[in-house]
Amino acid sequence: MLSGFIAILGKPNVGKSSLMNALVGEKVSIVTPKAQTTRDKILGIVTDADSQMVFLDTPGVHKPQSKLDSYMDKCIHTAADGVDATVIVLDASKKLTESEIAFIEKHLCTQKSVYVVINKTDLVSYDKIYPMLAQLAYLTRADGKRGAIKEIIPTSCYKGDNIELLRGYLKGELVEGDCYFDPDEITDKSERYMICEIIREKALLFLQDEVPHGIGVYIQTMEYKDGLANIDVDIICEKDSHKAIIIGEKGSKLKTIGERARADIEKLLGARVYLKLFVKVRADWRNKQNVLNDIGYNAKKNL
């Protein structure tokens, strides 16, 4: 049996979560157009007759400005340790930056296989991709202590372009060993975690830009009875003004978030769901470790 771990790294909003979902073939990581949607290290597991690939989706690389940001930064660094290969994702619709090139060079010095994915090719024509390929060309050759990029693969998660090709390359990085997870598992995260992420995803989609990254989601109670899941959830925000935005006029915004989340949660659980959302203000919660622990961003437990 072949098995191994593969880290998916890159700047915020380049499509890391979309790529992992495409590779796994199931939605295991939430996806929105907002930067820094992913806050945690999330595993996506692909098992076939002779192999198991474990993908690690990570938060976007950015400069930490709070304890939550520092937690996310640690997720990135721990994900890059102990893996069999690294996939660095670039956005085809944006210019390749010097910091991204430096990030790739850094990982080429780790003695691990590095693949570069130019994602979101459905948004641009190939004359936009060629300059990126030219900028990366010198990194396809080893130089001293720096290794070479194994492959550069343009992909579209929306269309599915080259996903199977990438999966095939990465399968070649696996080594002989036992499976790390049961064959029917597709992620390491619990139902409660996935429910909170679904609710946060809907909040990210429907709230204004200044609010979403200031919210956390926490399940107060969850119980099953007669095929019905009763779930009480707190949405935590930092300001009273944010609370008003989340609730919306006559509760309209909170109702929309709840309705959209409930539909996805019912698919996840395979049961009817009665979902109650409560909005609570916790000033500066992203810098309060006790609140971060309650929500699930506990570095000692999760990293």
Side-chain angles (χ1 to χ4, degrees):
M1 191 73 174
L2 299 173
S3 60
F5 286 82
I6 298 154
I8 302 176
L9 308 176
K11 291 175 66 175
N13 209 31
V14 294
K16 297 183 298 298
S17 296
S18 295
L19 181 64
M20 187 174 80
N21 290 342
L23 288 166
V24 174
E26 298 280 353
K27 186 175 180 178
V28 294
S29 192
I30 65 172
V31 176
T32 79
K34 307 282 176 67
Q36 297 177 26
T37 295
T38 302
R39 286 178 172 170
D40 212 336
K41 182 174 64 178
I42 301 171
L43 302 190
I45 305 161
V46 179
T47 307
D48 59 23
D50 62 354
S51 69
Q52 183 175 85
M53 281 188 282
V54 184
F55 296 100
L56 290 79
D57 186 19
T58 59
V61 178
H62 68 292
K63 185 176 180 180
Q65 296 180 340
S66 67
K67 284 189 176 181
L68 175 59
D69 288 346
S70 295
Y71 171 83
M72 293 161 63
D73 191 54
K74 288 178 182 177
C75 287
I76 298 167
H77 289 96
T78 56
D81 292 336
V83 296
D84 298 283
T86 300
V87 175
I88 297 176
V89 187
L90 307 174
D91 186 340
S93 68
K94 298 178 181 178
K95 288 185 177 181
L96 182 59
T97 66
E98 290 184 4
S99 64
E100 286 177 306
I101 293 174
F103 185 74
I104 295 170
E105 287 186 326
K106 173 186 172 183
H107 283 276
L108 288 174
C109 296
T110 63
Q111 308 304 313
K112 296 184 177 75
S113 296
V114 175
Y115 292 80
V116 172
V117 165
I118 301 177
N119 198 28
K120 304 186 184 181
T121 56
D122 54 289
L123 300 179
V124 299
S125 58
Y126 262 81
D127 62 348
K128 298 287 187 182
I129 299 173
Y130 291 139
M132 298 181 74
L133 294 173
Q135 284 179 273
L136 294 169
Y138 79 99
L139 293 176
T140 61
R141 300 180 295 273
D143 182 11
K145 293 183 179 180
R146 173 180 61 72
I149 296 172
K150 292 288 287 284
E151 297 287 345
I152 301 174
I153 307 102
T155 65
S156 167
C157 298
Y158 179 71
K159 292 184 176 180
D161 293 349
N162 289 333
I163 299 300
E164 202 62 45
L165 176 67
L166 175 60
R167 193 187 290 117
Y169 282 135
L170 296 174
K171 188 171 180 177
E173 298 293 338
L174 305 181
V175 296
E176 289 287 346
D178 297 329
C179 286
Y180 297 95
F181 299 92
D182 290 337
D184 58 346
E185 290 186 85
I186 61 171
T187 185
D188 63 322
K189 297 302 183 183
S190 67
E191 282 184 350
R192 294 172 74 96
Y193 178 93
M194 297 299 291
I195 289 168
C196 290
E197 285 291 272
I198 287 170
I199 294 167
R200 193 167 65 85
E201 177 186 59
K202 304 314 175 189
L204 282 164
L205 290 172
F206 291 107
L207 294 173
Q208 298 179 27
D209 289 341
E210 71 269 20
V211 177
H213 298 301
I215 67 165
V217 180
Y218 174 69
I219 294 178
Q220 284 286 5
T221 61
M222 177 175 169
E223 58 181 24
Y224 289 94
K225 186 176 182 180
D226 300 326
L228 175 68
N230 289 283
I231 309 171
D232 291 355
V233 176
D234 287 349
I235 297 177
I236 299 170
C237 61
E238 294 180 311
K239 301 177 181 179
D240 288 324
S241 59
H242 288 176
K243 179 177 180 178
I245 293 171
I246 296 168
I247 294 173
E249 186 176 357
K250 297 181 179 179
S252 59
K253 189 72 69 175
L254 191 62
K255 181 180 179 182
T256 299
I257 293 169
E259 287 175 346
R260 298 298 180 91
R262 180 172 55 81
D264 283 5
I265 295 168
E266 288 184 337
K267 292 178 184 178
L268 173 71
L269 301 181
R272 292 181 298 120
V273 170
Y274 180 60
L275 178 66
K276 290 191 291 184
L277 302 179
F278 304 90
V279 184
K280 297 182 179 179
V281 177
R282 298 287 186 271
D284 198 31
W285 69 266
R286 285 180 287 181
N287 280 309
K288 295 180 178 178
Q289 192 59 53
N290 61 323
V291 181
L292 293 174
N293 292 345
D294 287 342
I295 295 174
Y297 306 129
N298 186 328
K300 291 183 179 179
K301 180 179 179 181
N302 295 333
L303 298 180

